[in-house]
């Protein structure tokens, strides 16, 4: 059996997930790239080839309990265990006031960001507490929106505040089983989702302003750092952000 540590990264077809999964592979992890589109995952795996670890694409809709269970079953079959879950999959929605948000959008964002994270964390926790040696790490992608909302972001901000509660509870419940749980809160990484920042986004005072961004590799390196800690150490919350983005104080 390969002695390399094993990671599952959700939303690994693009953005933060893709960069983080590739960085883990480069540094010797065996990594399952998962998401809803297998063609995109295959491209991400191909781009990560040549690293020290192995990369495998498995299609999964994280809001579907059966697909999540199948994802973890196949991962264990292929690699023997799960040492890391990066709960990264999620989606947003254009700025909209609450009374104009259709219910289907609310449920779509809730399912992708919160239910999906719950289902994957549940499967990871179950595997980690039963494997030998016992334990592992769960990293949740929280976002700066876990602390402060952007205008018109009720569905997204609500789910990200809830992710912080999930993180804290798992960090507590995981102690007897050597399961560490932490959260990375990202501010303005230059991904497809974050590209709007370079063109101008609504501010709290009603203005539209361009915001600074950071290279997504900086985030991936931070995820690697969190993942590489021994299980008796944990970064509970890490905020990685563009230094000059409007977040601290009045912006």
């Amino acid at each position: 059996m390969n002695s390399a540590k094993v990671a599952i990264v959700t939303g690994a077809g693009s953005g933060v997930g893709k960069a983080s999964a590739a960085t883990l592979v480069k540094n010797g992890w065996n990594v399952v790239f998962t998401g809803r589109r297998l063609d995109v995952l295959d491209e991400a795996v191909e781009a990560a080839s040549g690293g020290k670890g192995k990369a495998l694409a498995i299609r999964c809709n994280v809001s579907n309990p059966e697909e999540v269970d199948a994802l973890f079953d196949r991962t264990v079959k292929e690699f023997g265990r799960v040492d890391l879950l990066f709960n990264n999959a999620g989606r947003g929605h254009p700025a909209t006031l609450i009374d104009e948000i259709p219910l289907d959008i609310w449920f779509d964002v809730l399912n992708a960001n919160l239910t999906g994270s719950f289902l994957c964390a549940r499967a990871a926790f179950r595997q980690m507490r039963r494997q030998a040696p016992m334990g592992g790490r769960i990293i949740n992608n929280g976002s700066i929106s876990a602390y402060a909302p952007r205008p018109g972001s009720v569905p997204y901000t609500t789910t990200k505040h809830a992710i912080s509660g999930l993180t804290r509870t798992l960090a507590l419940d995981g102690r007897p089983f050597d399961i560490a749980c932490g959260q990375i809160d990202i501010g303005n990484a230059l991904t497809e989702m974050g590209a709007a920042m370079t063109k101008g986004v609504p501010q709290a005072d009603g203005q539209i302003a361009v915001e600074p961004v950071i290279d997504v590799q900086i985030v991936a390196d931070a995820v690697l750092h969190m993942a590489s800690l021994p299980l008796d150490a944990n970064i509970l919350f890490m905020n990685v952000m563009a230094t000059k983005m409007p977040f601290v104080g009045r912006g």
Side-chain angles (χ1 to χ4, degrees):
M1 181 70 65
N2 193 316
S3 61
K5 289 188 176 181
V6 180
I8 295 176
V9 178
T10 69
S14 62
V16 168
K18 179 180 179 180
S20 299
T23 298
L24 289 165
V25 172
K26 181 181 178 181
N27 285 272
W29 289 69
N30 292 334
V31 182
V32 172
F33 291 57
T34 191
R36 290 180 297 176
R37 293 180 52 191
L38 188 57
D39 58 333
V40 173
L41 294 171
D42 285 337
E43 291 175 4
V45 165
E46 178 64 26
S49 63
K52 297 178 182 178
K54 297 179 180 178
L56 174 66
I58 301 177
R59 185 201 168 280
C60 177
N61 177 351
V62 295
S63 65
N64 183 304
E66 290 77 19
E67 292 189 20
V68 170
D69 287 344
L71 165 68
F72 278 79
D73 287 345
R74 185 174 171 196
T75 299
V76 173
K77 182 179 179 180
E78 293 284 343
F79 296 121
R81 59 185 287 114
V82 177
D83 296 290
L84 172 69
L85 165 66
F86 182 24
N87 246 336
N88 168 73
R91 58 158 295 183
H93 183 68
T96 310
L97 295 177
I98 188 170
D99 59 329
E100 299 174 358
I101 296 171
L103 280 178
D104 62 332
I105 295 298
W106 165 258
F107 286 116
D108 284 349
V109 175
L110 188 72
N111 285 335
N113 296 4
L114 185 54
T115 301
S117 293
F118 163 78
L119 291 173
C120 289
R122 182 179 69 160
F125 198 99
R126 181 173 58 232
Q127 172 62 30
M128 290 171 180
R129 70 183 287 201
R130 289 168 172 78
Q131 62 194 9
M134 182 174 63
R137 189 179 305 274
I138 298 169
I139 300 174
N140 293 323
N141 186 338
S143 165
I144 278 181
S145 290
Y147 304 91
R150 289 187 176 276
S153 65
V154 165
Y156 186 80
T157 299
T158 300
T159 61
K160 292 305 183 178
H161 274 65
I163 289 295
S164 294
L166 177 66
T167 297
R168 289 186 175 96
T169 307
L170 292 178
L172 176 61
D173 290 350
R175 289 176 182 176
F177 311 108
D178 290 332
I179 299 172
C181 184
Q183 182 168 311
I184 186 164
D185 298 314
I186 303 161
N188 291 9
L190 186 53
T191 63
E192 291 178 11
M193 182 180 292
M197 307 298 172
T198 64
K199 301 175 182 178
V201 291
Q203 304 296 307
D205 62 0
Q207 295 187 55
I208 303 295
V210 172
E211 296 187 11
V213 296
I214 55 174
D215 192 305
V216 71
Q217 187 59 46
I218 294 171
V219 179
D221 290 341
V223 171
L224 174 67
H225 174 62
M226 295 175 74
S228 299
L229 292 173
L231 290 178
D232 60 357
N234 186 37
I235 295 174
L236 186 61
F237 291 95
M238 177 188 282
N239 177 200
V240 180
M241 58 180 278
T243 303
K244 297 181 181 181
M245 69 172 289
F247 174 58
V248 179
R250 296 181 180 272

